[in-house]
Amino acid sequence: MAFQMRGVAMSLDDRIEHVIYFKNHGVRAGTSLMHPHSQIIALPVVPYDVRARDEEARRYFDDTGSCVYCAMLEDELRDQRRVIIENEDYVAFLPYAALSPFHVWIVPREHHSSFLMVSP
C-alpha cells in the first residue's frame, strides 16, 4: 500500500509521465547499498521499452478485442509453471522470456489500466 500511495502522490505532479518501482540487491544490481531494498522513480518521460510495450498492448487489443495482460495472466494461471505466488487479489509470476534474472511481474487479478488504480 505504501508503494501505491507514494506513486499516486508522485503522479499528481504534472511533470511526471511514468512511475517505476523496482527492487535492488547488491553491487551487481547497480546499487551502492548491500541490503535488498526497493525504490520508486518518477520520470518526466515514458521510457522507450515501456512505450513500445504499451503500443503492442494496444495492437493486441485492436486485433483481438481483449487485454494482452489479462490474456497473459490467464495463460500463466492455467500453466502454473512460472507462477511464484498468488492470492485472491494478485499473482506474481516470471514472465516468459524474462528480460533479466529474477524479473517478476505482480499482476492484479482484477483488470485495471494502472497499478495506481487497483484496490489496496
Side-chain angles (χ1 to χ4, degrees):
M1 189 161 166
F3 270 175
Q4 189 180 34
M5 290 171 52
R6 288 298 307 141
V8 167
M10 291 174 171
S11 71
L12 293 176
D13 184 329
D14 291 338
R15 298 169 297 173
I16 302 305
E17 292 292 324
H18 189 70
V19 177
I20 299 172
Y21 303 85
F22 61 95
K23 183 174 182 174
N24 262 343
H25 184 191
V27 175
R28 292 185 66 202
T31 182
S32 58
L33 300 174
M34 294 309 294
H35 64 277
H37 62 284
S38 297
Q39 292 177 281
I40 304 171
I41 296 177
L43 301 173
V45 297
V46 178
Y48 174 79
D49 59 325
V50 175
R51 189 176 300 275
R53 189 181 306 135
D54 187 49
E55 289 171 7
E56 285 302 310
R58 284 190 186 121
R59 185 190 59 74
Y60 183 90
F61 182 82
D62 289 345
D63 291 349
T64 67
S66 62
C67 171
V68 68
Y69 300 108
C70 292
M72 187 184 315
L73 179 59
E74 287 176 22
D75 289 347
E76 295 299 340
L77 287 171
R78 187 173 28 260
D79 185 89
Q80 286 291 312
R81 284 184 288 178
R82 289 178 293 277
V83 173
I84 299 166
I85 193 167
E86 59 183 294
N87 65 22
E88 63 187 46
D89 298 311
Y90 296 94
V91 179
F93 63 90
L94 302 169
Y96 179 79
L99 298 174
S100 62
F102 308 106
H103 189 135
V104 176
W105 281 21
I106 303 170
V107 180
R109 289 181 184 267
E110 185 178 331
H111 175 89
H112 289 281
S113 61
S114 170
F115 171 70
L116 302 180
M117 299 172 79
V118 300
S119 61

